[in-house]
Amino acid sequence: MLTAHHLSQTCGITLVLSEISFSLNPAEKIGLVGPNGCGKTTLLRILAGLEPADGGTVQFNPPTLRVGYLPQGGNLPSDLTLGDYLQQMQGNLPALTARLELLASHLAADLGSPSLQQEYDQVLADLTDSAASTTRTPALLASFGLDTLPASLPLASLSGGQKTRLNLVGLLLRDPRLLLLDEPTNHLDPAMLEWLEDWLLNSRCGVLIVSHDRAFLDKVTDT
C-alpha cells in the first residue's frame, strides 16, 4: 500500500530525517511517536505529497491510492461556508450529475469514443461515491458534535476545536484507503474519542498516526 525508501530531509543545516524506510500494508495501523521537533509532521507532509523530500522515494500501490491527510491545527479554507465545504468533501453531487448527463449525450452521438467512455465510467464511479458520502454526512456531523451548526456558517467563525473535528469529518467523507493523521485526538471529548477509536478499529484503511496520547495509540495501533 505504502512504501518509503531512504527518505531524507534537512531544514536549513539541521538533518530532520535520515534514510527513513518502512512499509504500511492494507488495514495496518502504525503509531509514529517521538519528541516534538523530531520530524514526525515533516514525514507525514512528505508522504501526503505536500512537501518534497531531499532524498528517497515514496511509492503507493496502486499508484492511484486515495490518501487522506489530517494536519495538526486544521487547514480549512476561510472563504467557504460549512455547506460549501461539505459539498466539496462529498464530491459535489450536483456538478457530477450534470457532467454525467453531458457525457451521456456526447456518447450517444459518438459511441465509438474510448476516451468518452472512460470519462463516463469514471464520473459514474465518482457519482456513486458522492451519493454515499452525502448519505453518511448527517451521522458523521452528529458523531463530532457539529450537527447543530447551520450550513450558512462561515468556516472562519469556527473555533479551533470545531475546525479539527470538521477536518476529520471531511477526511472520512472522502473515503480514503490510506489515512495520515497528525494528532487526531486534539479537541475530542471522550464520546468523540471513543467513536474515532471504534471507527479505526473496524476500518480496512491503512493508517499512520502521530499522537502523544499513548492510551489511544495502544488501543488502535498494531505497530
Side-chain angles (χ1 to χ4, degrees):
M1 171 172 266
L2 164 66
T3 304
H5 294 280
H6 305 292
L7 293 177
S8 297
Q9 184 74 315
T10 57
C11 182
I13 61 172
T14 303
L15 182 63
V16 179
L17 302 175
S18 176
E19 298 291 322
I20 304 296
S21 297
F22 71 97
S23 60
L24 193 152
N25 300 312
E28 188 175 14
K29 314 295 191 296
I30 297 179
L32 178 60
V33 299
N36 289 332
C38 73
K40 302 185 299 296
T41 293
T42 298
L43 177 58
L44 288 194
R45 286 180 56 81
I46 290 172
L47 298 176
L50 299 176
E51 179 174 331
D54 293 335
T57 61
V58 176
Q59 295 179 328
F60 296 113
N61 184 23
T64 57
L65 184 72
R66 191 178 300 173
V67 180
Y69 170 57
L70 179 74
Q72 222 182 131
N75 60 345
L76 295 174
S78 59
D79 58 337
L80 295 182
T81 65
L82 175 62
D84 293 335
Y85 173 76
L86 290 174
Q87 187 179 75
Q88 282 189 6
M89 294 301 102
Q90 291 162 350
N92 200 332
L93 190 60
L96 287 170
T97 301
R99 181 62 181 166
L100 191 71
E101 292 173 351
L102 179 63
L103 288 169
S105 66
H106 288 170
L107 272 173
D110 186 6
L111 293 175
S113 172
S115 60
L116 271 178
Q117 185 63 56
Q118 184 177 15
E119 185 179 358
Y120 180 90
D121 293 342
Q122 183 59 57
V123 173
L124 182 60
D126 292 342
L127 187 64
T128 301
D129 290 343
S130 179
S133 293
T134 301
T135 301
R136 296 199 310 271
T137 298
L140 278 172
L141 290 173
S143 297
F144 289 102
L146 300 170
D147 51 322
T148 61
L149 299 178
S152 59
L153 184 69
L155 297 186
S157 301
L158 297 177
S159 68
Q162 288 172 327
K163 289 178 181 178
T164 297
R165 286 180 271 139
L166 184 59
N167 260 312
L168 271 170
V169 170
L171 194 65
L172 298 180
L173 283 176
R174 299 184 70 180
D175 196 26
R177 299 294 87 202
L178 171 64
L179 285 169
L180 308 171
L181 305 178
D182 199 347
E183 297 290 355
T185 63
N186 287 353
H187 306 293
L188 299 186
D189 66 24
M192 296 172 192
L193 179 59
E194 183 178 0
W195 186 94
L196 181 60
E197 289 174 345
D198 289 342
W199 189 92
L200 289 170
L201 287 170
N202 291 296
S203 171
R204 297 298 297 169
C205 292
V207 187
L208 181 61
I209 306 172
V210 169
S211 180
H212 288 91
D213 186 338
R214 293 306 294 267
F216 171 72
L217 289 176
D218 287 343
K219 186 165 185 178
V220 303
T221 61
D222 310 306
T223 305

Short mmCIF file of all heavy atoms in Angstrom, two decimals, residues 80-84 86 141 146-155 157-158 162 166:
data_model
loop_
_atom_site.label_atom_id
_atom_site.label_comp_id
_atom_site.label_asym_id
_atom_site.label_seq_id
_atom_site.Cartn_x
_atom_site.Cartn_y
_atom_site.Cartn_z
N LEU A 80 -15.08 29.79 2.70
CA LEU A 80 -16.21 28.92 2.44
C LEU A 80 -17.15 28.87 3.63
O LEU A 80 -16.75 29.09 4.78
CB LEU A 80 -15.75 27.49 2.13
CG LEU A 80 -14.94 27.25 0.87
CD1 LEU A 80 -14.61 25.78 0.73
CD2 LEU A 80 -15.66 27.76 -0.37
N THR A 81 -18.41 28.52 3.36
CA THR A 81 -19.35 28.22 4.44
C THR A 81 -19.26 26.72 4.75
O THR A 81 -18.67 25.94 3.99
CB THR A 81 -20.79 28.56 4.04
OG1 THR A 81 -21.18 27.70 2.95
CG2 THR A 81 -20.91 30.02 3.62
N LEU A 82 -19.90 26.34 5.84
CA LEU A 82 -19.92 24.93 6.22
C LEU A 82 -20.56 24.09 5.11
O LEU A 82 -20.04 23.02 4.75
CB LEU A 82 -20.70 24.76 7.52
CG LEU A 82 -20.92 23.33 8.01
CD1 LEU A 82 -19.60 22.64 8.29
CD2 LEU A 82 -21.82 23.33 9.26
N GLY A 83 -21.68 24.57 4.56
CA GLY A 83 -22.35 23.83 3.50
C GLY A 83 -21.49 23.68 2.26
O GLY A 83 -21.46 22.61 1.64
N ASP A 84 -20.79 24.76 1.88
CA ASP A 84 -19.90 24.70 0.71
C ASP A 84 -18.80 23.66 0.92
O ASP A 84 -18.47 22.88 0.01
CB ASP A 84 -19.26 26.06 0.44
CG ASP A 84 -20.27 27.11 0.00
OD1 ASP A 84 -21.32 26.73 -0.55
OD2 ASP A 84 -20.00 28.31 0.23
N LEU A 86 -18.73 21.04 2.97
CA LEU A 86 -19.25 19.68 2.98
C LEU A 86 -19.56 19.20 1.56
O LEU A 86 -19.30 18.05 1.21
CB LEU A 86 -20.49 19.59 3.86
CG LEU A 86 -20.25 19.75 5.36
CD1 LEU A 86 -21.57 19.80 6.10
CD2 LEU A 86 -19.37 18.62 5.90
N LEU A 141 -21.45 14.23 11.16
CA LEU A 141 -21.53 15.53 11.84
C LEU A 141 -22.01 15.35 13.27
O LEU A 141 -21.50 15.98 14.21
CB LEU A 141 -22.46 16.47 11.08
CG LEU A 141 -21.96 16.99 9.73
CD1 LEU A 141 -23.07 17.75 9.01
CD2 LEU A 141 -20.74 17.89 9.91
N LEU A 146 -21.18 18.43 15.52
CA LEU A 146 -21.26 19.54 14.58
C LEU A 146 -22.62 19.61 13.87
O LEU A 146 -22.81 20.44 12.98
CB LEU A 146 -20.16 19.42 13.53
CG LEU A 146 -18.71 19.41 14.05
CD1 LEU A 146 -17.75 19.03 12.93
CD2 LEU A 146 -18.34 20.75 14.65
N ASP A 147 -23.55 18.76 14.26
CA ASP A 147 -24.81 18.65 13.54
C ASP A 147 -25.76 19.83 13.77
O ASP A 147 -26.72 20.00 13.02
CB ASP A 147 -25.53 17.35 13.89
CG ASP A 147 -25.67 17.13 15.39
OD1 ASP A 147 -24.73 17.47 16.13
OD2 ASP A 147 -26.72 16.64 15.81
N THR A 148 -25.51 20.64 14.80
CA THR A 148 -26.39 21.78 15.06
C THR A 148 -25.92 23.06 14.37
O THR A 148 -26.60 24.08 14.44
CB THR A 148 -26.50 22.04 16.57
OG1 THR A 148 -25.20 22.34 17.10
CG2 THR A 148 -27.08 20.82 17.28
N LEU A 149 -24.77 23.03 13.72
CA LEU A 149 -24.24 24.23 13.06
C LEU A 149 -24.98 24.46 11.74
O LEU A 149 -25.20 23.51 10.98
CB LEU A 149 -22.74 24.07 12.79
CG LEU A 149 -21.85 23.90 14.02
CD1 LEU A 149 -20.40 23.71 13.59
CD2 LEU A 149 -21.97 25.08 14.97
N PRO A 150 -25.34 25.71 11.43
CA PRO A 150 -26.05 25.99 10.17
C PRO A 150 -25.11 25.87 8.98
O PRO A 150 -23.91 26.17 9.06
CB PRO A 150 -26.54 27.42 10.35
CG PRO A 150 -25.59 28.04 11.33
CD PRO A 150 -25.20 26.93 12.26
N ALA A 151 -25.67 25.45 7.85
CA ALA A 151 -24.88 25.30 6.63
C ALA A 151 -24.31 26.63 6.16
O ALA A 151 -23.27 26.67 5.48
CB ALA A 151 -25.73 24.68 5.52
N SER A 152 -24.96 27.74 6.53
CA SER A 152 -24.51 29.07 6.08
C SER A 152 -23.37 29.63 6.92
O SER A 152 -22.84 30.70 6.62
CB SER A 152 -25.68 30.05 6.13
OG SER A 152 -26.21 30.14 7.45
N LEU A 153 -22.95 28.91 7.97
CA LEU A 153 -21.91 29.41 8.89
C LEU A 153 -20.56 29.48 8.18
O LEU A 153 -20.08 28.47 7.64
CB LEU A 153 -21.80 28.51 10.11
CG LEU A 153 -20.83 28.95 11.21
CD1 LEU A 153 -21.34 30.21 11.91
CD2 LEU A 153 -20.62 27.83 12.22
N PRO A 154 -19.88 30.65 8.17
CA PRO A 154 -18.53 30.72 7.57
C PRO A 154 -17.54 29.87 8.37
O PRO A 154 -17.58 29.86 9.60
CB PRO A 154 -18.18 32.21 7.67
CG PRO A 154 -19.48 32.92 7.86
CD PRO A 154 -20.36 31.98 8.63
N LEU A 155 -16.66 29.17 7.68
CA LEU A 155 -15.67 28.34 8.37
C LEU A 155 -14.76 29.19 9.24
O LEU A 155 -14.22 28.70 10.25
CB LEU A 155 -14.84 27.56 7.35
CG LEU A 155 -15.60 26.54 6.50
CD1 LEU A 155 -14.62 25.74 5.64
CD2 LEU A 155 -16.43 25.60 7.36
N SER A 157 -15.57 31.32 11.25
CA SER A 157 -16.21 31.56 12.54
C SER A 157 -16.07 30.37 13.49
O SER A 157 -16.41 30.49 14.67
CB SER A 157 -17.71 31.85 12.35
OG SER A 157 -17.90 32.99 11.54
N LEU A 158 -15.57 29.24 13.01
CA LEU A 158 -15.45 28.06 13.84
C LEU A 158 -14.32 28.20 14.85
O LEU A 158 -13.30 28.85 14.57
CB LEU A 158 -15.21 26.82 12.98
CG LEU A 158 -16.30 26.43 11.99
CD1 LEU A 158 -15.85 25.22 11.18
CD2 LEU A 158 -17.61 26.13 12.70
N GLN A 162 -13.61 23.00 16.74
CA GLN A 162 -14.58 22.70 15.69
C GLN A 162 -13.90 22.47 14.35
O GLN A 162 -14.30 21.60 13.58
CB GLN A 162 -15.61 23.82 15.59
CG GLN A 162 -16.58 23.89 16.75
CD GLN A 162 -17.45 25.13 16.71
OE1 GLN A 162 -17.02 26.20 16.26
NE2 GLN A 162 -18.69 25.01 17.18
N LEU A 166 -14.17 19.15 12.17
CA LEU A 166 -14.70 19.22 10.81
C LEU A 166 -13.69 18.67 9.81
O LEU A 166 -14.07 18.05 8.82
CB LEU A 166 -15.07 20.67 10.47
CG LEU A 166 -15.72 20.88 9.10
CD1 LEU A 166 -17.01 20.06 8.97
CD2 LEU A 166 -16.01 22.35 8.85
#
